[in-house]
Amino acid sequence: MLRYDLQFFAEGQGGEKTEPATEKKLSDARKEGQVAKSREIANGFGIMALFLILRFWVPTMGRQFLSIFQVFYGRIAEQVVFWQGYMPQNDTRLIFRRMLLQSVIIMGPILLIGLLIAFLSDVAQVGWKPTMKPMQPKLSKFNPLSGLKKIISVNSLVELVKAIAKIGLIAYMCYNYLKDKWGLLFVLYDMTLPEALNLLLRTVTDLGIRIAAVYMVIAFADFAYQKWKFAKDMRMTKQEIKDEYKQSEGDPQIKGRIRQKMREASQRRMMQDLPKADVVITNPTHYAVAIRYDPEVAEAPTVLAKGADHLAQRIKEIARENKVEIVENKPLARMLYANVEVGEAVPPELYQAVAEVLAFVYHLQGRV
């Protein structure tokens, strides 16, 4: 005797998440702030921008700082001479406040560019659709078990490997670039202060740009991983897709029953209106179309009922019971059945054929 685990088969049908996420699930996840995004992208571009700005903007910024210090320290000296060896506290506070404001203005472009790059990096990854839901407090965030699961998880292992890779690559880049430049330390003693600062600036920025380039390679690899991981996490079971379809579109069985009820109601109305028809045009076995012409109601003949096979036979039975004429015209019956719905008027291209049938019926009834 072999024992079978029926749960195994149940999972194969709907328990495993093997289906790609639907548009609705992705949209709902987006509203909750769940997107495929790498923080390393913003960090990489930010580091690159920082060192590029330092390379081209620091000399100008240094001259501006020197100018500010000369102006403000000159004012301090003037105030000390004016007040005979000491300076009022209010004047000191005002001078340093102005000096701090000027320093912030000089460093403003660096701060603004950093914010702009961080913003554009996020928008480039996930688009512009802000949401405040990730900031809303949730009791599940205070669950220690949930926090422990986050610490001990595959994602934590990946983050650890990523951090080790970053540290290792950056350390290698620093060693490989600086191993031939240790002699610069001895040259600095023979340089003036501006020359020494300029040399240090070039060395630091060149190294920083190289580090940023390596960091961006890591960032793009991490972005590809985050996209893959997000798609994997968003996968759905077949049962989830069916449930979602039922919620959004309605239960197919219920919709089928509703359509059936509507067809039955429509057929009942047809059969009730059938005795008013002037003629029933048949195939003769497959199709039956009931026509009524009342000039006071409509300018053209109207289809009161139509049916195929069993319904066609039922239409003919009711027509015989109510003494409605039945005329066989195979091509006209097929064209009316295929092109005219119940309650619609006969199209102009069929006026002549229908008029001949009505004239024949009226002649039989002595109405002409």
Side-chain angles (χ1 to χ4, degrees):
M1 298 294 290
L2 297 177
R3 297 184 62 185
Y4 292 97
D5 186 2
L6 297 180
Q7 187 64 29
F8 173 80
F9 297 97
E11 288 182 356
Q13 294 181 355
E16 295 181 358
K17 296 186 176 183
T18 57
E19 306 303 314
T22 61
E23 291 294 330
K24 181 179 183 301
K25 182 168 184 179
L26 292 176
S27 177
D28 293 342
R30 178 64 184 267
K31 292 176 183 177
E32 295 291 334
Q34 300 178 15
V35 290
K37 183 179 71 171
S38 173
R39 292 174 295 179
E40 309 300 335
I41 292 287
N43 295 339
F45 277 101
I47 293 172
M48 178 65 76
L50 172 64
F51 284 106
L52 288 175
I53 293 170
L54 289 175
R55 180 65 178 269
F56 298 104
W57 179 245
V58 164
T60 302
M61 191 168 61
R63 289 192 294 268
Q64 292 177 344
F65 274 124
L66 288 175
S67 176
I68 290 175
F69 290 152
Q70 289 174 358
V71 171
F72 282 99
Y73 279 112
R75 291 182 181 177
I76 292 174
E78 293 175 0
Q79 293 292 330
V80 170
V81 172
F82 180 78
W83 292 99
Q84 298 179 358
Y86 70 95
M87 186 175 177
Q89 184 177 3
N90 292 336
D91 293 346
T92 305
R93 189 177 299 153
L94 180 62
I95 289 175
F96 277 99
R97 187 180 300 165
R98 290 178 179 175
M99 186 170 63
L100 180 61
L101 178 61
Q102 292 294 326
S103 300
V104 171
I105 293 173
I106 293 172
M107 297 177 63
I110 298 178
L111 301 176
L112 291 176
I113 291 174
L115 290 174
L116 182 62
I117 288 175
F119 173 75
L120 293 178
S121 297
D122 285 345
V123 172
Q125 292 183 75
V126 300
W128 174 250
K129 192 173 181 181
T131 178
M132 300 298 292
K133 286 194 174 182
M135 301 179 64
Q136 294 177 356
K138 293 182 179 179
L139 294 177
S140 59
K141 294 181 179 180
F142 299 97
N143 188 349
L145 293 178
S146 300
L148 187 61
K149 288 181 180 179
K150 290 181 180 180
I151 295 174
I152 306 173
S153 64
V154 176
N155 188 50
S156 300
L157 180 61
V158 171
E159 292 295 327
L160 177 61
V161 171
K162 188 170 62 177
I164 294 173
K166 285 189 293 185
I167 295 172
L169 286 174
I170 291 173
Y172 173 76
M173 287 292 300
C174 293
Y175 171 77
N176 193 48
Y177 180 75
L178 295 175
K179 66 180 181 180
D180 298 327
K181 299 187 181 297
W182 297 116
L184 295 176
L185 294 175
F186 302 100
V187 179
L188 292 176
Y189 291 102
D190 299 328
M191 294 181 178
T192 62
L193 179 60
E195 292 175 344
L197 291 176
N198 190 31
L199 178 60
L200 288 174
L201 175 64
R202 288 201 309 270
T203 303
V204 171
T205 53
D206 287 345
L207 177 59
I209 291 172
R210 285 172 170 78
I211 292 174
V214 174
Y215 198 99
M216 289 178 66
V217 172
I218 298 174
F220 282 111
D222 180 64
F223 178 67
Y225 167 75
Q226 295 296 337
K227 293 279 286 185
W228 172 83
K229 181 177 179 298
F230 180 76
K232 182 175 180 293
D233 292 341
M234 288 291 106
R235 285 179 185 173
M236 305 171 66
T237 64
K238 294 180 180 180
Q239 186 62 42
E240 286 175 341
I241 293 177
K242 291 179 182 179
D243 294 341
E244 182 183 289
Y245 177 80
K246 289 179 182 179
Q247 292 176 359
S248 59
E249 302 294 335
D251 192 334
Q253 295 181 354
I254 295 176
K255 292 177 69 175
R257 287 197 293 269
I258 292 174
R259 285 194 295 266
Q260 182 180 357
K261 294 293 184 182
M262 293 176 65
R263 285 195 297 269
E264 293 174 355
S266 176
Q267 290 178 8
R268 284 196 296 270
R269 286 195 298 270
M270 282 196 321
M271 299 309 177
Q272 291 173 359
D273 293 339
L274 189 56
K276 303 177 185 177
D278 294 321
V279 62
V280 173
I281 304 172
T282 65
N283 190 27
T285 56
H286 294 294
Y287 301 109
V289 181
I291 300 292
R292 173 181 171 81
Y293 178 52
D294 187 351
E296 298 180 357
V297 177
E299 296 180 356
T302 304
V303 174
L304 290 185
K306 70 174 186 177
D309 299 328
H310 175 73
L311 185 58
Q313 299 302 322
R314 180 61 180 157
I315 289 174
K316 287 189 288 185
E317 290 177 5
I318 296 176
R320 294 190 190 98
E321 294 172 0
N322 292 273
K323 299 180 180 180
V324 177
E325 295 293 339
I326 300 175
V327 176
E328 180 181 335
N329 189 324
K330 296 180 181 179
L332 181 58
R334 285 196 298 266
M335 294 184 67
L336 287 171
Y337 182 85
N339 297 288
V340 187
E341 298 297 329
V342 176
E344 292 183 356
V346 173
E349 55 267 23
L350 297 179
Y351 280 175
Q352 182 66 32
V354 174
E356 292 177 358
V357 173
L358 288 173
F360 173 73
V361 171
Y362 293 161
H363 179 74
L364 290 178
Q365 296 176 346
R367 296 168 58 183
V368 177

